[in-house]
């Protein structure tokens, strides 16, 4: 496995998958990007990739064995309200649809005691339904943001699969899941038609080789001056596999 490195792109021929957490000007954190900088990330990706994929296209991408041109997906982890307040207007303006990986318990309580950072409130189930109606796609991020690599199979499965009211809001074609902390446990068995997403801790592989450890990457906070070069590098890796 490669060392975690946000400058490493996806497998050539497969979409770049970006992940974000907080979008806010209210506090600084390595998982928090400002509103203006979030806009900048989207504009950089559109400039170098030219195509933001609709999450509804995910199954077609897999069936087609990748894409014929550079493209990217946008994802958000946890389900923070500041993402809807601050990122959604940018996404709407730029006509980008995203995947929202939500923590189930937080949808009903507005908080998640297992999270290391509780400075922002979470979306409600009704608000998540509005996202779905707006063309965005919902995915799972466990019930309590539990590190699955530290649990046995029974606990993992209890954490992974969502309550029925959330299942009804998800695309019935496949189950989308993101691992908390990017920790992919060994020996975990998913139901059929599942695509599970890691982080920079996952290697860049074609999705049909590793459908349960799909690599995602991010814009490193504190390195804003390097972001243009980082995106350019992602694109060059897509064009020239030898750079991976």
């Amino acid at each position: 496995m490669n060392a975690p490195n946000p400058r490493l792109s996806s497998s050539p021929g497969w979409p770049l998958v970006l992940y974000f957490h907080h979008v806010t000007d209210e506090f600084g954190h390595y998982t928090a990007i400002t509103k203006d900088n979030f806009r900048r990330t989207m504009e950089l990706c559109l400039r170098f990739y030219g195509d933001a994929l609709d999450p509804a296209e995910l199954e077609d991408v897999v069936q087609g064995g990748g894409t014929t041109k550079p493209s990217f997906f946008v994802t958000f982890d946890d389900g923070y309200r500041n993402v809807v307040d601050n990122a959604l207007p940018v996404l709407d303006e730029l006509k980008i649809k995203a995947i929202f990986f939500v923590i189930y318990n937080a949808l009903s309580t507005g908080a998640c005691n297992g999270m290391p950072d509780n400075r922002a409130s979470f979306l409600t189930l009704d608000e998540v339904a509005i996202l779905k109606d707006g063309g965005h796609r919902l995915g799972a991020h466990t019930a309590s943001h539990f590190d699955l690599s530290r649990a046995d199979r029974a606990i993992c499965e209890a954490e992974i699969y969502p309550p029925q009211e959330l299942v009804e809001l998800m695309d019935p074609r496949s189950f989308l899941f993101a691992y908390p902390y990017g920790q992919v446990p060994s020996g975990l068995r998913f139901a059929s038609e599942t695509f599970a997403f890691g982080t920079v801790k996952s290697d860049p592989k074609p999705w049909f080789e590793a459908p349960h450890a799909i690599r995602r990457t991010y814009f490193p906070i504190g390195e804003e001056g390097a972001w243009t070069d980082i995106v350019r590098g992602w694109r060059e890796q897509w064009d020239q596999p030898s750079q991976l």
Side-chain angles (χ1 to χ4, degrees):
M1 177 180 290
N2 291 288
N5 178 8
R7 290 167 176 78
L8 188 61
S9 185
S10 57
S11 178
W14 291 86
L16 176 77
V17 187
L18 298 168
Y19 64 98
F20 299 89
H21 292 80
H22 297 284
V23 180
T24 181
D25 295 342
E26 295 180 2
F27 57 83
H29 192 262
Y30 75 96
T31 64
I33 188 170
T34 66
K35 293 184 286 185
D36 286 345
N37 276 336
F38 177 73
R39 175 183 291 277
R40 182 183 169 210
T41 65
M42 295 296 96
E43 291 175 344
L44 280 171
C45 288
L46 290 170
R47 171 184 166 191
F48 284 95
Y49 281 83
D51 189 9
L53 292 173
D54 189 313
E57 300 178 72
L58 186 146
E59 285 79 8
D60 293 336
V61 168
V62 177
Q63 186 176 2
T67 59
T68 59
K69 59 182 180 179
S71 55
F72 65 98
F73 284 114
V74 177
T75 72
F76 296 92
D77 285 4
D78 302 337
Y80 295 113
R81 178 170 282 107
N82 59 41
V83 170
V84 169
D85 293 342
N86 300 323
L88 195 59
V90 176
L91 296 176
D92 289 345
E93 178 185 337
L94 299 177
K95 297 180 172 56
I96 296 174
K97 303 299 182 183
I99 302 172
F100 290 80
F101 293 106
V102 296
I103 302 169
Y104 317 141
N105 292 349
L107 296 178
S108 57
T109 65
C112 184
N113 293 330
M115 292 291 290
D117 174 21
N118 284 325
R119 287 174 289 186
S121 60
F122 291 82
L123 299 170
T124 66
L125 188 63
D126 287 343
E127 289 167 333
V128 167
I130 292 172
L131 285 174
K132 184 256 186 182
D133 290 342
H136 301 280
R137 192 162 179 179
L138 304 179
H141 200 43
T142 72
S144 62
H145 206 266
F146 193 83
D147 182 351
L148 300 180
S149 66
R150 300 169 54 193
D152 61 27
R153 180 178 170 184
I155 293 176
C156 285
E157 291 184 351
E159 281 281 330
I160 287 170
Y161 293 106
Q164 186 58 38
E165 59 265 32
L166 190 57
V167 170
E168 293 173 356
L169 297 176
M170 293 179 170
D171 193 312
R173 293 173 297 170
S174 55
F175 177 57
L176 306 186
F177 178 79
Y179 301 95
Y181 311 106
Q183 300 286 9
V184 181
S186 60
L188 185 61
R189 297 179 184 176
F190 283 102
S192 60
E193 302 304 323
T194 295
F195 298 101
F197 293 78
T199 61
V200 292
K201 298 175 184 178
S202 293
D203 289 334
K205 296 180 179 180
W207 293 13
F208 56 77
E209 287 186 13
H212 300 156
I214 297 171
R215 179 180 175 82
R216 298 184 294 167
T217 190
Y218 66 97
F219 284 86
I221 303 302
E223 299 182 36
E224 288 81 358
W227 283 358
T228 299
D229 288 339
I230 289 173
V231 180
R232 185 183 290 112
W234 290 337
R235 171 60 192 269
E236 290 173 351
Q237 292 166 39
W238 198 96
D239 290 331
Q240 303 177 36
S242 62
Q243 294 198 23
L244 286 177

